Amino acid sequence: MKSRLAAAIVVVLAGCGGVQGNPDEPIPVRLGYFPNVTHATASVGVEQGLFEEALGSGVDLTVQAFNAGPDAIEAIFNGALDATYIGPNPAINAFTRSDGEAIRIIAGATSGGAALVVRDGISTPEQLAGTTLATPQLGNTQDVALRAWLAEQGYETDLEGGGDVSIIPQANGQTLEAFRAGEVDGAWVPEPWATRLVEEGGGHVLVDEADLWPNGQFVTTHLIVATEFLEDHPDLVKRLLEGHLEANVFVNEHPAEAQELVGTAIAELTGAELPADILEAAWANLEFTVDPIPTSLTVSADHAYDLGLIESADLDGIYDLTLLNEVLREAGEPEISGP
């Protein structure tokens, strides 16, 4: 199947039954996502044209790929982005930085898919003293998870890389190379990097983060929208959620084809192909769900606050699941409970 991204990243929608507006002045919808396995729902929605079909005519959809959560959040703050798939801690940071004004979480996308992978010779938490571990970014979702878990094991860490265990934030690709070279002893990373550290780096999983959460569920990716856009265009947000739900169903009902689509998107957006066996192995550690799992976000916010990474853990008002539940109800699916 030919990728839609290969033709253009900006798509003027030509469906029917959409928002009726001036055909000479289509309403812009600017959607962000990352070229990650954990953003599979977004990749499938883009590659299959599900978002454009759901939004309908009279809408100008611009799809933009980001490498990191902070960049996507800055785009929302600058008025350059209306909605994006993103991890939990960047959403928390956006909400708290804006005193609860900038964004709303409107749906879940992915649960699970993060682990602490370590080198041979480390088989218990007690053996981590004096080691160096990597995370994708200071204050990101996996960084907070690692620091909170280490604190529970009795270790002290600081934001400068000191303490009983040294934590070094670095790009995931750099972490893989550093792990292979023996420069770091392990890393708490999301998929597919956890699988790559095992398969390509010779490591093993010390902690599967799913084991730390009730029913193994914790939010890895969800869909957020700029509050102003939600208030100005609730009809468009609902249609976007219809495309999101359809993409989520496709991912779960057609995993092999979905993996192929995600692999294509990652290759086109990053210039590097993800081996099919790595993609398949990583996929098995993920659950694709529209439930944003609010309880896990609350715990993550508490951890970030305790670590001094955010000034407030008050997330009251961060969720608006009204339109999601309308879409689910109309599709005959169970509604999602809020926090």
Side-chain angles (χ1 to χ4, degrees):
M1 179 179 296
K2 184 178 179 179
S3 168
R4 292 172 181 269
L5 288 178
I9 203 71
V10 179
V11 183
V12 178
L13 308 184
C16 59
V19 176
Q20 300 303 312
N22 185 339
D24 296 327
E25 297 181 4
I27 300 173
V29 176
R30 300 159 299 178
L31 177 66
Y33 74 117
F34 302 174
N36 295 343
V37 178
T38 53
H39 287 231
T41 300
S43 292
V44 167
V46 171
E47 295 281 332
Q48 291 285 76
L50 301 178
F51 297 128
E52 58 182 290
E53 182 179 354
L55 287 165
S57 61
V59 179
D60 183 354
L61 175 65
T62 304
V63 179
Q64 183 173 356
F66 291 87
N67 290 318
D71 292 337
I73 293 303
E74 289 306 318
I76 284 184
F77 281 177
N78 295 333
L81 197 65
D82 302 309
T84 188
Y85 288 82
I86 203 165
N89 280 78
I92 292 171
N93 291 337
F95 187 79
T96 56
R97 279 177 57 193
S98 64
D99 296 322
E101 297 295 328
I103 62 99
R104 294 292 182 266
I105 298 170
I106 57 172
T110 309
S111 167
L116 172 59
V117 178
V118 295
R119 60 169 171 79
D120 286 344
I122 300 175
S123 57
T124 67
E126 291 75 19
Q127 294 172 310
L128 291 173
T131 60
T132 299
L133 304 177
T135 62
Q137 187 177 39
L138 176 64
N140 97 311
T141 304
Q142 288 76 43
D143 186 72
V144 171
L146 173 59
R147 293 175 187 277
W149 181 80
L150 287 172
E152 292 175 357
Q153 308 309 308
Y155 291 115
E156 292 186 1
T157 63
D158 62 42
L159 305 184
E160 290 74 38
D164 301 322
V165 178
S166 178
I167 300 176
I168 300 177
Q170 58 186 16
N172 291 322
Q174 182 182 354
T175 291
L176 177 58
E177 295 305 315
F179 187 65
R180 283 170 165 170
E183 296 170 359
V184 297
D185 300 293
W188 196 299
V189 287
E191 292 292 5
W193 296 100
T195 294
R196 295 191 69 176
L197 287 177
V198 172
E199 299 295 332
E200 301 174 33
H204 63 274
V205 174
L206 182 65
V207 181
D208 182 343
E209 190 172 344
D211 294 337
L212 307 180
W213 295 95
N215 301 316
Q217 292 185 314
F218 61 99
V219 61
T220 304
T221 306
H222 45 211
L223 178 59
I224 69 171
V225 65
T227 305
E228 183 177 359
F229 187 81
L230 175 61
E231 293 173 347
D232 291 346
H233 301 288
D235 52 343
L236 291 181
V237 174
K238 182 178 179 180
R239 289 183 179 275
L240 180 65
L241 284 167
E242 289 171 352
H244 172 68
L245 179 60
E246 189 173 355
N248 183 264
V249 170
F250 185 95
V251 165
N252 284 299
E253 293 186 353
H254 307 280
E257 188 174 353
Q259 288 173 43
E260 183 178 349
L261 291 168
V262 171
T264 297
I266 290 174
E268 290 178 353
L269 293 169
T270 67
E273 291 188 8
L274 184 64
D277 58 336
I278 297 292
L279 178 54
E280 183 179 5
W283 198 275
N285 297 321
L286 300 168
E287 177 186 359
F288 302 102
T289 172
V290 296
D291 187 341
I293 318 173
T295 52
S296 71
L297 190 73
T298 301
V299 173
S300 294
D302 289 339
H303 287 164
Y305 177 76
D306 292 340
L307 293 165
L309 293 166
I310 57 176
E311 295 182 357
S312 171
D314 182 6
L315 301 183
D316 185 34
I318 195 172
Y319 290 96
D320 189 338
L321 305 180
T322 305
L323 294 176
L324 173 63
N325 282 325
E326 284 185 18
V327 171
L328 290 171
R329 189 164 56 248
E330 291 169 4
E333 298 291 336
E335 296 184 30
I336 301 297
S337 299

